[in-house]
Amino acid sequence: MAAQALTLLREVSRLEAPLEELRALQSVLQSVPLSELREQAAELRLGPLFSLLNENHREQTTLCVSILERLLQALEPVHVARNLRSDLQRGLTHPNDSVKILTLSQVGRIVENSDAVTEILNNTELLKQIVYCIGGENLSVAKAAIKSLSRISLTQAGLEALFESNLLDDLKNVMKTNDIVRYRVYELIVEISSVSPESLNYCTTSGLVTQLLKELTGEDVLVRATCIEMVTSLACTHHGRQYLAQEGVIDQISNIIVGADSDPFSSFYLPGFVKFFGNLAIMDSPQQVCERYPVFVEKVFEMMESQDPTMIGVAVDTIGILGSNVEGKQVLQKTGTRFERLLMRMGYQAKNASTELKIRCLDAISSLFYLPPEQQTDDLLRMAESWFSSLSRDPLELFRGISNQPFPELHCAALKVFTAIANQPWAQKLMFHSPGFVEYVMDRSVEHDKASKDAKYELVKALANSKTIAEIFGNPNYLRLRTYLSEGPYYVKPISTTAVEGAE
């Protein structure tokens, strides 16, 4: 089959309009194993196919792209980089986006290969074309270009090529295309900056990080909303957080939140700013962040009281993040009755909000209440029990009612709440004394889809593996849980059939 493909490839190179041969070649290649093509790699002459891309013929271009995608996989990235340089350059300026995507996929292979990447670094014209692909209308083309440049920048030579040459001017020129393209370049800069302190240093020296931070603290509220997402990504790294703190950016973000009350347009950027602090708290120290920036906690409580579902959603998510570790739980506990009122509000939203917000509430509640066995001190268990009672008059029935609604996502989210508290003795006692709850846990007929069966299995596992379950649920129920566990999540009880004499 590979020999047939090579014959057709030679035929294509001799004809001016080889549509029939291209169709035949595409058909043959679908059944040729890649290993066979690799054996014939030395015989593959792809120049004619690349030449056919230059003709303004839609079907011919589509066929050539499909064939080249297959054949190029048979060639080593080093071979592609060395022998198809001019073809790659032309591909990046081709009017057809599918050709650009094909070319960028090959650039992606090259930059992943340590031997081949130097070929790209020495080809400034090709690098320039990759940079200009960020400014294209097609998002797939732009994302592929960003990915390649980000990968190139993982090496010292790549950082120098991008930031210590004319390419930096090209990057700044591309940014002038429009707002969307400018944000794409910021996205690239943040990706590169996140790799190491040295990478961040190259990016700050370029002036592009400073430009991003100026836009973040500028007057345009929509720009702020976009920039905060990128700055939050930068803050995901230790060196990124250090830089933002040293430059006073975190203090500036806090001050903007303080001034948000008098800004009628604050709803555009406030959710992103609050999320920034939520992420900051969980990556550093919830106590330190909340003590240094009290406006953050204050704003989360305010947002929870809001009538705006967007604000409530952000507050719920942030509480879930903040309360996901013990230090964060203790910070929330210190707010006293105010947090109890917030929990009541969260319980109300879990019952009455839109499906999407209900799920976010349930996820946050799961995060708040989960305590690993090694962290279950008497104080923390008492705190969790007290919190649980603040959610509603009968929280267990509230979540059971939600889990019975005919929406798999809600069902799974409610089961996740039960799983979060399943290893805590106070919760096991509540479950055991709640009429029908143990049977509900054991009943496999309630779950109909894979996700629900998996969620129920996680609940059973959490209960069965708890050291206190046999004492609280009793040995017979404990053995039933162990049986459920050993049978797996998808077990179906065999239906016994009885033979009747004389039946056909």
Side-chain angles (χ1 to χ4, degrees), residues 124 127 158-171:
T124 50
L127 284 171
L159 286 168
E160 288 171 6
L162 195 55
F163 293 105
E164 293 185 350
S165 71
N166 293 335
L167 278 179
L168 183 57
D169 293 330
D170 293 320
L171 208 53

Side-chain angles (χ1 to χ4, degrees), residues 275 312-322 346 360-361 363-364:
K275 280 181 193 173
I312 297 168
V314 172
V316 163
D317 294 344
T318 308
I319 291 290
I321 291 169
L322 201 52
M346 201 180 273
R360 287 166 77 177
C361 285
D363 285 346

Side-chain angles (χ1 to χ4, degrees), residues 48-219:
L49 283 171
F50 276 105
S51 298
L52 289 169
L53 289 172
N54 298 327
E55 297 175 22
N56 192 17
H57 191 299
R58 185 176 292 180
E59 188 187 357
Q60 184 170 291
T61 299
T62 304
L63 286 165
C64 286
V65 166
S66 172
I67 292 163
L68 282 166
E69 275 175 353
R70 184 72 174 154
L71 293 176
L72 284 164
Q73 286 179 56
L75 299 177
E76 289 297 320
V78 175
H79 177 90
V80 176
R82 284 180 186 158
N83 299 297
L84 299 172
R85 288 174 63 154
S86 56
D87 296 309
L88 291 175
Q89 277 173 225
R90 281 196 298 274
L92 290 176
T93 56
H94 198 282
N96 189 306
D97 285 331
S98 67
V99 179
K100 285 179 184 165
I101 290 168
L102 167 73
T103 310
L104 284 164
S105 72
Q106 292 310 305
V107 170
R109 288 180 69 215
I110 292 166
V111 299
E112 292 287 338
N113 184 294
S114 56
D115 295 323
V117 70
T118 51
E119 297 292 332
I120 289 242
L121 294 176
N122 294 329
N123 188 344
T124 50
E125 192 54 38
L126 184 65
L127 284 171
K128 182 178 179 176
Q129 294 304 338
I130 298 170
V131 166
Y132 277 96
C133 280
I134 297 174
E137 288 184 18
N138 187 300
L139 184 59
S140 298
V141 170
K143 284 202 170 291
I146 289 168
K147 188 178 177 183
S148 293
L149 290 168
S150 181
R151 183 68 183 76
I152 286 167
S153 302
L154 291 177
T155 64
Q156 178 69 31
L159 286 168
E160 288 171 6
L162 195 55
F163 293 105
E164 293 185 350
S165 71
N166 293 335
L167 278 179
L168 183 57
D169 293 330
D170 293 320
L171 208 53
K172 290 177 178 177
N173 281 335
V174 167
M175 290 179 82
K176 295 172 185 172
T177 309
N178 55 43
D179 287 350
I180 291 169
V181 174
R182 191 167 77 257
Y183 299 142
R184 287 177 191 166
V185 174
Y186 286 147
E187 184 188 330
L188 169 65
I189 293 300
V190 168
E191 265 189 46
I192 296 170
S193 299
S194 300
V195 174
S196 69
E198 188 184 17
S199 302
L200 174 59
N201 190 42
Y202 272 94
C203 293
T204 53
T205 305
S206 74
L208 293 175
V209 174
T210 311
Q211 192 175 326
L212 166 63
L213 297 176
K214 272 185 185 169
E215 294 206 42
L216 172 72
T217 54
E219 295 303 313

Side-chain angles (χ1 to χ4, degrees), residues 411-412 415-416 418-419 422 440-444 446-447 449-465 480-491:
H411 180 70
C412 291
L415 286 174
K416 203 171 151 191
F418 294 139
T419 306
Y440 162 78
V441 172
M442 306 292 186
D443 185 3
R444 288 181 180 271
V446 178
E447 285 74 35
D449 58 281
K450 183 182 181 299
S452 299
K453 290 175 195 287
D454 287 339
K456 173 67 79 71
Y457 188 73
E458 288 302 313
L459 169 58
V460 171
K461 191 198 295 183
L463 287 167
N465 290 339
R480 288 171 71 195
L481 286 168
R482 298 304 311 180
T483 302
Y484 191 121
L485 200 60
S486 64
E487 288 169 346
Y490 316 117
Y491 175 77

Side-chain angles (χ1 to χ4, degrees), residues 410-430:
L410 272 178
H411 180 70
C412 291
L415 286 174
K416 203 171 151 191
V417 172
F418 294 139
T419 306
I421 59 173
N423 65 2
Q424 298 173 46
W426 63 266
Q428 293 169 2
K429 287 172 187 170
L430 270 183

